[in-house]
Every structure is written in structure tokens, then in C-alpha cells.
Amino acid sequence: KINMLRNIHKALYCTMLLTATLLVACQKQPQKVRHLNEKKTDSTMLAQMQLNIHLADAADKVCREFVQNDSTIYAMDDFGFWYAKTISSTSSDSIQQGQEIPLHIQISEIRGTLISDIKYQYIMGSGELPTAITRSLKMMCIGDQMHIVAPWYTAYGVEGTKIIKPYSNLFIIITIEQ
């Protein structure tokens, strides 16, 4: 009799536990249904990342070859572009954040075709120029000139501009005019 009572007690306990679990489970909010194309989006983004890595490696190779074949001695920045100060002024005035400076920027394709030759007033730190140029400006003083060999990912990137094609590796000459 005692064993039978224990079995009935266990059965009742299990039934109550199962009933409580079902009641709680039925009150939960429905889970969001994954979008059918989400897996495709993830794989598309992964494929795009892998393509960009491949294109960045190819850009690095092209820029390295250009630098090795040029008579100018370049240094490589941590961000992946090459630079060489070709004119050093006697000024020791470094450029400050927010300072307006007169720039002359010549941008060419890495193989030589001139794309742009502009002069304009730039406000240091305004964010309107690509990484290769802004980081180079931080190393310059008024009157300095810098040559930059910039792979696309440190220049105008995957989008480019109206005149610079996406994924363009560039040769840039920056002069901070006096």
C-alpha cells in the first residue's frame, strides 16, 4: 500500500508539474520568426567581407610595388598607406584641431592619370577628407608637402566620389600652403 501511495503521489506530482509547465509555456510571447532571407543576407555580407579582404590585399600589393619602384623613400602608416615628406618647411608650427589651413591637393590614379588638382581651405578635423590625408596632415606643418600612396580602403573606399571610382588606389600630393 505504501508503494502504491508513493506511485500515485509521484504521478500526481508529475501531472501537476507538467500542467504548470504547459500553462507557463502557453503564456509566453511568440518567438520572432526569422526572415526567410536572413541567412542569405548573412552569407552575402560574409561574401562581401571576403571580397573586400581580397581586394585590400591586392591593393596593398599594387601600392607596395609602386613604392618600391619610386625613387622617393616612403614610410608606412599603421593604417596601411605609404607617405613621404618631400618638402619640409622651416616652420615648426604644427596644425591644431579646428585650424583652417590652405591646402593644395593633387590626386592621381596609382598608375599616373591625374584625377583632381584643387586648392581650398580645410578645417583640420572636419572629417571631410579620407584617412590617408587626415593622418598625413597631422604630421605636417605649414609649408610642408607630402606624397601619399593610398590603397582604396584608406582613400575614398568602396563608394568613391563623383570623380574618383570606387576601390581606387591613389597617389596624392598634399601641400599646406603658406
Side-chain angles (χ1 to χ4, degrees):
K1 278 189 170 182
I2 293 178
N3 282 342
M4 189 164 49
L5 285 174
R6 280 187 188 153
N7 288 341
I8 293 172
H9 187 266
K10 281 183 184 177
L12 285 172
Y13 178 75
C14 288
T15 304
M16 287 176 27
L17 186 61
L18 180 62
T19 304
T21 303
L22 288 173
L23 286 173
V24 170
C26 291
Q27 290 177 0
K28 281 187 176 179
Q29 293 294 325
Q31 298 275 330
K32 281 187 175 181
V33 177
R34 287 180 67 107
H35 192 276
L36 295 175
N37 291 328
E38 189 171 311
K39 202 166 200 151
K40 284 184 183 177
T41 302
D42 290 346
S43 65
T44 301
M45 289 186 332
L46 180 60
Q48 185 66 42
M49 284 175 42
Q50 289 172 337
L51 175 62
N52 282 343
I53 290 168
H54 174 73
L55 292 172
D57 289 343
D60 289 340
K61 181 180 177 188
V62 168
C63 291
R64 191 177 324 103
E65 287 172 2
F66 179 89
V67 166
Q68 288 171 347
N69 293 327
D70 194 357
S71 60
T72 306
I73 298 172
Y74 290 87
M76 186 176 200
D77 185 85
D78 293 340
F79 276 69
F81 66 91
W82 298 83
Y83 64 93
K85 194 178 282 189
T86 53
I87 297 176
S88 291
S89 69
T90 55
S91 171
S92 61
D93 299 332
S94 60
I95 300 160
Q96 304 301 315
Q97 195 78 346
Q99 181 178 349
E100 189 172 332
I101 53 175
L103 288 182
H104 180 198
I105 302 177
Q106 295 170 297
I107 301 174
S108 302
E109 292 176 356
I110 200 91
R111 305 262 187 243
T113 306
L114 183 66
I115 299 171
S116 173
D117 187 349
I118 58 170
K119 292 183 179 187
Y120 75 107
Q121 295 296 108
Y122 173 69
I123 298 173
M124 188 65 172
S126 65
E128 56 191 59
L129 293 173
T131 302
I133 295 175
T134 56
R135 287 183 61 94
S136 296
L137 287 172
K138 290 178 183 178
M139 296 182 261
M140 298 173 72
C141 296
I142 303 295
D144 287 354
Q145 183 180 81
M146 184 95 62
H147 287 194
I148 302 167
V149 178
W152 62 269
Y153 58 88
T154 65
Y156 291 92
V158 298
E159 294 178 7
T161 68
K162 290 179 184 175
I163 59 171
I164 299 171
K165 296 174 190 168
Y167 297 99
S168 291
N169 303 315
L170 302 173
F171 176 68
I172 304 166
I173 301 173
I174 307 173
T175 307
I176 302 177
E177 299 185 329
Q178 297 187 21

